[in-house]
Amino acid sequence: MAPIVRNNLREGTNHGRRLTLLERKSKPSNRKGIPSTKTKFVRSVVREVAGFAPYERRVMELLRNSKDKKARKVTKKRLGTLLRSKRKVEELSNIIQESRRAH
């Protein structure tokens, strides 16, 4: 956004005293939902130690057999909403792709 240019006139669109506007600091609430580096690390360690839940293993098998719709249905049943289901299926399909790249 361009800074507001004021002139010393009494009337008009930019009337008023000339001021130097301060830049606003970003609020911590603007970061809401973005995981920190520590959180990412902890989640990766937990995933490595605990592995996948049984339903996640089933969904990964369905994705390998190209049954995406069935995979979405299974995750929706387990997670409750379609948006969470889509995210989980996307996450698991990324994990499958990474494992294929590693081998």
Side-chain angles (χ1 to χ4, degrees):
M1 189 170 113
I4 300 170
V5 180
R6 302 248 185 226
N7 54 33
N8 263 338
L9 301 176
R10 294 179 75 167
E11 298 172 355
T13 53
N14 296 323
H15 69 281
R17 187 183 171 101
R18 289 187 182 187
L19 300 172
T20 55
L21 297 173
L22 301 175
E23 285 191 28
R24 295 198 156 195
K25 293 180 182 176
S26 62
K27 297 188 290 186
S29 62
N30 292 342
R31 285 196 72 247
K32 183 173 190 252
I34 300 170
S36 64
T37 52
K38 183 179 178 182
T39 308
K40 284 181 186 175
F41 172 72
V42 168
R43 286 182 183 161
S44 68
V45 169
V46 169
R47 173 66 79 186
E48 191 177 320
V49 172
F52 295 99
Y55 87 93
E56 289 176 332
R57 287 197 293 267
R58 181 179 174 203
V59 168
M60 287 169 74
E61 193 60 39
L62 288 168
L63 289 171
R64 283 190 191 105
N65 296 329
S66 68
K67 303 210 176 208
D68 298 2
K69 188 172 182 181
K70 183 68 175 174
R72 234 179 266 119
K73 280 185 176 182
V74 169
T75 51
K76 184 182 181 299
K77 180 77 171 165
R78 294 289 302 202
L79 299 175
T81 67
L82 189 63
L83 187 63
R84 289 177 187 167
S85 168
K86 287 178 182 177
R87 282 190 193 137
K88 180 61 78 172
V89 168
E90 185 67 30
E91 176 190 333
L92 294 174
S93 61
N94 287 341
I95 289 169
I96 291 170
Q97 287 176 357
E98 287 174 16
S99 67
R100 284 182 184 156
R101 276 190 225 126
H103 292 299

